Amino acid sequence: MFENIIKNITRFISITPEEEKTFTDLLVCQSFPKKTVLLREGEICQFEGYIHKGCVRMYCLDDNGSEVTLLFAIEDWWISDIASFHEQKPSKVFIETLEDSEIYMLNTTTKEKLLQEVPKFERVFRMLVQRNLATLQSRLVNTISKTASDRYLEFIKVYPSIPQRVAQYYIASYLGVSKEFVSTIRKRLASKEK
């Protein structure tokens, strides 16, 4: 049941069977149907979650009330509003499942207990934050410096399975383009592959 999350963790640290049991005993496995909002703007994020199955997105609302997708998370990725979770401040984002999902959750209490009992997990979470920061930095640079077409190509390189799993308007929202643009570029790329 926990094989994938243990593989995820052991990319960063090695753990004994006892440490593995401490970790897995603290996890809560939850199933969520598609379109479940896990976090709303204004709420305090109470979880860090590892996606065992499914697809989740994080988004915010712009000044016009339109949704702007900030990131997608799929199997073997972690999802949380890191700032809200760690600072226990209201979130500025929403987190929603786009598919039926199974997520292993830690809350602030169980995470703190894990870090007290197995301090080497600090490295795991530090590496996850660093990876998250690198992803966001790369996205910011791409948004500023690349054309919409290049951003789409970069997107499908990073998220090769997402175009088959989510509606085009979510991808358009992520890229800051119209859904018609996404449709056009997908057709253009498909015709080049023939």
Side-chain angles (χ1 to χ4, degrees), residues 19-127:
E19 292 167 335
E20 180 178 323
K21 181 169 179 4
T22 298
F23 175 54
T24 57
D25 284 351
L26 292 170
L27 293 172
V28 175
C29 182
Q30 291 189 261
S31 296
F32 300 97
K34 178 179 180 176
K35 299 300 244 167
T36 300
V37 178
L38 305 175
L39 176 67
R40 295 180 192 284
E41 179 181 25
E43 295 176 348
I44 295 173
C45 185
Q46 299 296 337
F47 67 89
E48 287 190 346
Y50 170 85
I51 301 172
H52 178 67
K53 176 183 162 239
C55 180
V56 176
R57 78 175 176 129
M58 178 185 290
Y59 68 94
C60 64
L61 300 178
D62 68 14
D63 291 341
N64 299 320
S66 298
E67 296 177 3
V68 178
T69 300
L70 302 172
L71 65 83
F72 296 98
I74 56 174
E75 292 84 4
D76 202 37
W77 289 48
W78 289 78
I79 188 78
S80 180
D81 178 340
I82 296 169
S84 176
F85 182 81
H86 286 281
E87 297 170 15
Q88 289 295 285
K89 292 185 176 175
S91 179
K92 296 180 180 176
V93 301
F94 295 80
I95 298 176
E96 172 190 41
T97 60
L98 296 180
E99 297 174 346
D100 292 345
S101 299
E102 290 176 14
I103 304 175
Y104 298 138
M105 311 281 252
L106 288 170
N107 62 37
T108 52
T109 304
T110 54
K111 183 178 179 186
E112 192 56 40
K113 184 172 166 105
L114 173 65
L115 296 178
Q116 285 175 355
E117 293 184 19
V118 191
K120 64 173 101 172
F121 269 85
E122 287 275 2
R123 174 176 166 74
V124 172
F125 291 103
R126 178 175 54 82
M127 298 302 290

